[in-house]
Amino acid sequence: YIDENGGNVYPFATPETAARDFNLAWAMTCSGSVVRVTAGHYETAKSLDLADPIQLIGAGRDATVIRLKSGVNGRVALVDNAESVIRGCTLTGGRLGFPEGQLGVGVKFGDRGGLVEDCHITDNSFDAVMQHGAVAFTSQSRGCIRRSVIDFNKTKGWGGGIYFSGASGCGGSVVDCLVCSNSAAYGGAAYVTGLGYMTNCTLAANSASQSGHELIFYAGYPNTRFVNVAIKPKTDATDAWNSFWLAGGTTKTNGIEKVLVHCALAGFYGETYEKGDDGKFISKSFPPPAESGNLAMVPAFVDDAHGNYRLPVSSSLRDGGLYEPWMRNMFDLDGQPLAVPGQAPIGCY
């Protein structure tokens, strides 16, 4: 147990004898450990390594704040075991410079996966260009982050919020998450360069200095599946090319109808099979494929100007999503049941 006001009696095995020093207690963790942290602000002197089966349980998404110590070059947490869990915490302060080629400055899911749930991933940043994702999945990972907020993260590379790179039948999952106000060079909310799965998420107010304010699919996207996702463009709805972009896919726009299922977005920009006089494929804006239940619209929220991305009572998105039986056991970001039989929302609320 860890508590700012704990009794601080070794081995910190009860709430009354909880450790006051986060780093001292974390140094004791081993395979099978469960670390419970009360509400408060805690500083870790190094990245949290959950390569063994370890559970880190906080008091709530914004109640238990764990910050990487200022001046430390590192990500906040590595989750790399199918039995590892981080729940009910804010993870912040991650900073990674060189070397390049790193993934996940807030949370990196390794090949063995794991679960991050009811967390807030915020104010983490990369300083080098070839670095990707506040939350990132390795090519063999089947990790999952759900019921979490991913916001105000920055990278000079790809995927300000999330980076998907799954291969060989593997792919990370992002479920019931709000991804907003992140920034990157390419793909402010997310960058998909392999397999990835996103269900009941809301993407809004993200930005990219080069292209794809909200989302970029770069190759491999026909094997990816985004279900019940609300994507609001940063600028005018007609600026589809700079909000949702299909890039470099060898199949061009073919197959996107299998990727987007019951999603709400104004449109996307992609390459067709048509070629211009120069022999290059022609790029143009497209509406989302209606045959998969998608809605060609700009999602409206209660007050997105002030960060309220809940759906108005009158919104068609409240029950416009694809219902799947497993959703009955899920809760939205407010802790309310996500779906009832036959009805599911588009978005994370």
Side-chain angles (χ1 to χ4, degrees):
Y1 290 84
I2 304 175
D3 185 337
E4 290 177 318
N5 303 304
N8 207 39
V9 179
Y10 180 87
F12 321 125
T14 68
E16 293 74 24
T17 62
R20 297 173 192 163
D21 187 320
F22 182 93
N23 295 281
L24 178 62
W26 187 258
M28 295 172 53
T29 59
C30 59
S31 180
S33 293
V34 178
V35 182
R36 299 188 182 276
V37 190
T38 63
H41 289 253
Y42 303 87
E43 188 175 75
T44 176
K46 61 180 182 179
S47 299
L48 306 177
D49 189 337
L50 283 78
D52 291 321
I54 295 172
Q55 296 185 51
L56 173 59
I57 312 298
R61 183 187 307 143
D62 293 307
T64 298
V65 179
I66 300 174
R67 176 179 293 276
L68 187 67
K69 185 177 180 180
S70 177
V72 174
N73 181 62
R75 66 178 50 86
V76 185
L78 169 68
V79 180
D80 191 17
N81 193 288
E83 297 180 41
S84 290
V85 177
I86 299 179
R87 179 180 294 118
C89 299
T90 289
L91 303 176
T92 186
R95 298 289 183 273
L96 277 170
F98 291 90
E100 294 188 339
Q102 300 185 84
L103 303 178
V105 64
V107 177
K108 176 183 177 180
F109 286 95
D111 289 353
R112 293 178 295 170
L115 173 66
V116 173
E117 183 176 49
D118 189 30
C119 284
H120 188 181
I121 316 300
T122 187
D123 189 25
N124 301 285
S125 67
F126 279 122
D127 294 328
V129 174
M130 295 295 292
Q131 297 176 331
H132 318 307
V135 175
F137 304 90
T138 60
S139 62
Q140 299 301 311
S141 179
R142 297 187 183 185
C144 176
I145 180 168
R146 67 188 184 199
R147 285 195 63 214
S148 295
V149 177
I150 304 167
D151 65 1
F152 297 102
N153 301 285
K154 301 176 182 179
T155 177
K156 295 179 180 179
W158 287 258
I162 304 162
Y163 183 79
F164 294 100
S165 62
S168 303
C170 299
S173 297
V174 180
V175 182
D176 196 28
C177 289
L178 172 62
V179 187
C180 66
S181 303
N182 301 284
S183 64
Y186 301 91
Y191 192 92
V192 183
T193 186
L195 281 172
Y197 307 97
M198 184 174 280
T199 303
N200 284 100
C201 292
T202 298
L203 280 54
N206 299 284
S207 63
S209 60
Q210 299 298 320
S211 61
H213 288 313
E214 299 303 328
L215 183 61
I216 290 182
F217 284 164
Y218 184 88
Y221 60 78
N223 298 314
T224 295
R225 197 162 187 254
F226 278 34
V227 180
N228 299 347
V229 178
I231 304 172
K232 183 167 185 176
K234 178 178 174 64
T235 52
D236 185 84
T238 59
D239 191 20
W241 72 271
N242 212 18
S243 294
F244 180 7
W245 183 35
L246 304 184
T250 56
T251 55
K252 310 306 172 194
T253 57
N254 185 41
I256 195 66
E257 70 277 0
K258 298 178 183 178
V259 176
L260 299 175
V261 180
H262 287 262
C263 293
L265 65 156
F268 64 90
Y269 186 79
E271 295 176 338
T272 70
Y273 281 116
E274 304 172 55
K275 289 186 178 181
D277 295 337
D278 57 2
K280 296 181 179 180
F281 290 105
I282 297 174
S283 297
K284 59 175 68 175
S285 294
F286 296 90
E291 59 265 35
S292 296
N294 297 295
L295 301 175
M297 61 181 292
V298 177
F301 304 111
V302 170
D303 187 8
D304 49 319
H306 295 92
N308 187 345
Y309 296 99
R310 294 169 181 82
L311 300 173
V313 174
S314 59
S315 174
S316 60
L317 274 62
R318 293 176 72 94
D319 58 3
L322 174 68
Y323 171 78
E324 296 179 311
W326 64 267
M327 294 176 180
R328 290 186 64 185
N329 299 319
M330 296 296 296
F331 297 90
D332 74 0
L333 281 181
D334 285 334
Q336 302 299 315
L338 180 66
V340 297
Q343 293 185 350
I346 295 177
C348 60
Y349 292 104

